[in-house]
Amino acid sequence: GAQAANGVVIITTKKGKAGKTQFNLSLQEGTVEAIKLIPTLTAPELATMKIEAFQNRFRRLGPSATNGTSLDNARQLAVNIYGDPATVQNTDWQEAVYRTGKSRIVDFSANGGDEKTKFFLSASYNLNEGQVIKSDFERGTVRLNLDHKANDRLSFDVNMSLATTTQNGAIADGANISSPFFAALFTLPNQPIFREDGTYNAPLPGTFGFNVVQSVEFETRKLVRNQTVSSLAANYKISNRLRWRSFVGLDYAVARDD
């Protein structure tokens, strides 16, 4: 382009070659996971710190309804809210929203033909599961390039590409403080994900009143996109120095975002 001071990159599509049909298949498998989770307090550690804080407040301010009437009573007030360090249930909210996702790429191609007709056919499939539950990206493509020489002067080119993409996001407004990345850090570890009857535990005390696992599981954030980029061209050789080319192309996409 105009700013290509270091040169111009020309992108071309693969073409078929005359000869025996050749097939190629490649498969890549991998995993996606967080490099390192942020260390946070466990429920027993939180309860221990809160008991110490309640007792220190009693020592500093003396007896009251909020401070307690004794050290033991101050301790009990903290236990009533944050649990007993020896028995409190611990929930790692980061472990609950993060996961080890799968990554898969499959590529297939075939090319061949004769002196008159050459073809190149390719298909690919790409799956990436996000490191947060309920997030993934899936894409499938098919491409066909066909060259046909009708005679010494007339030839045709057909290029067709079809693609479909499906993307699921973890939560709407996922870049804000309500995102699972942020909310998991500030949800109290002494709060279970589920109640004893199996329903989600909500609303929750603390900074966030919602259950982030419940929000991610039930909120829909889905994008589906289908697209074709195709073209047909006719070439006519008028002379060795002059060629006529007629070209028609289509770039059409339909997207739905829920």
Side-chain angles (χ1 to χ4, degrees):
Q3 303 299 323
N6 294 323
V8 178
V9 177
I10 300 178
I11 301 174
T12 59
T13 56
K14 292 184 178 180
K15 298 289 186 178
K17 297 180 180 179
K20 186 178 179 180
T21 301
Q22 297 181 343
F23 299 94
N24 292 284
L25 177 65
S26 67
L27 173 64
Q28 300 179 47
E29 291 275 356
T31 58
V32 179
E33 60 183 343
I35 297 176
K36 183 180 180 181
L37 300 182
I38 299 175
T40 57
L41 290 175
T42 65
E45 290 171 339
L46 175 64
T48 300
M49 291 183 61
K50 288 297 183 180
I51 289 172
E52 183 179 352
F54 272 59
Q55 290 179 329
N56 286 340
R57 186 173 63 183
F58 173 82
R59 292 187 180 98
R60 184 168 61 90
L61 300 177
S64 72
T66 56
N67 299 340
T69 56
S70 66
L71 279 177
D72 288 341
N73 184 243
R75 181 186 189 281
Q76 189 58 48
L77 290 176
V79 168
N80 292 342
I81 301 174
Y82 299 99
D84 190 316
T87 59
V88 64
Q89 176 182 336
N90 181 65
T91 300
D92 190 329
W93 287 91
Q94 289 188 93
E95 289 289 347
V97 299
Y98 284 92
R99 68 176 176 184
T100 299
K102 294 184 298 184
S103 175
R104 177 178 299 154
I105 301 176
V106 182
D107 291 308
F108 168 81
S109 66
N111 77 90
D114 52 31
E115 293 302 321
K116 281 189 170 293
T117 304
K118 305 179 185 67
F119 73 91
F120 179 86
L121 174 67
S122 67
S124 67
Y125 174 74
N126 186 352
L127 170 66
N128 278 290
E129 292 181 339
Q131 60 187 7
V132 172
I133 58 176
K134 300 285 286 187
S135 64
D136 57 64
F137 175 87
E138 191 173 18
R139 177 181 173 88
T141 62
V142 176
R143 179 183 294 275
L144 174 64
N145 297 329
L146 185 66
D147 301 311
H148 177 69
K149 186 177 181 180
N151 52 51
D152 290 340
R153 292 185 178 274
L154 181 63
S155 64
F156 299 93
D157 303 333
V158 176
N159 296 293
M160 183 178 67
S161 174
L162 303 173
T164 180
T165 302
T166 301
Q167 183 173 358
N168 291 290
I171 196 171
D173 301 324
N176 297 325
I177 61 173
S178 61
S179 74
F181 306 99
F182 195 86
L185 291 173
F186 291 91
T187 303
L188 294 177
N190 62 345
Q191 296 298 317
I193 299 173
F194 299 97
R195 298 190 181 101
E196 293 183 357
D197 60 2
T199 60
Y200 281 100
N201 182 25
L204 299 175
T207 305
F208 296 95
F210 66 93
N211 186 320
V212 63
V213 175
Q214 180 186 21
S215 298
V216 172
E217 288 287 352
F218 283 91
E219 185 166 348
T220 299
R221 189 185 180 196
K222 183 177 183 180
L223 172 65
V224 178
R225 179 182 176 88
N226 298 310
Q227 183 178 21
T228 178
V229 179
S230 304
S231 64
L232 171 64
N235 307 285
Y236 188 79
K237 181 180 177 183
I238 298 174
S239 67
N240 290 335
R241 294 187 177 183
L242 181 62
R243 186 182 68 166
W244 171 82
R245 178 177 174 84
S246 180
F247 175 91
V248 59
L250 173 67
D251 187 345
Y252 179 75
V254 177
R256 177 174 178 175
D257 192 354
D258 294 324

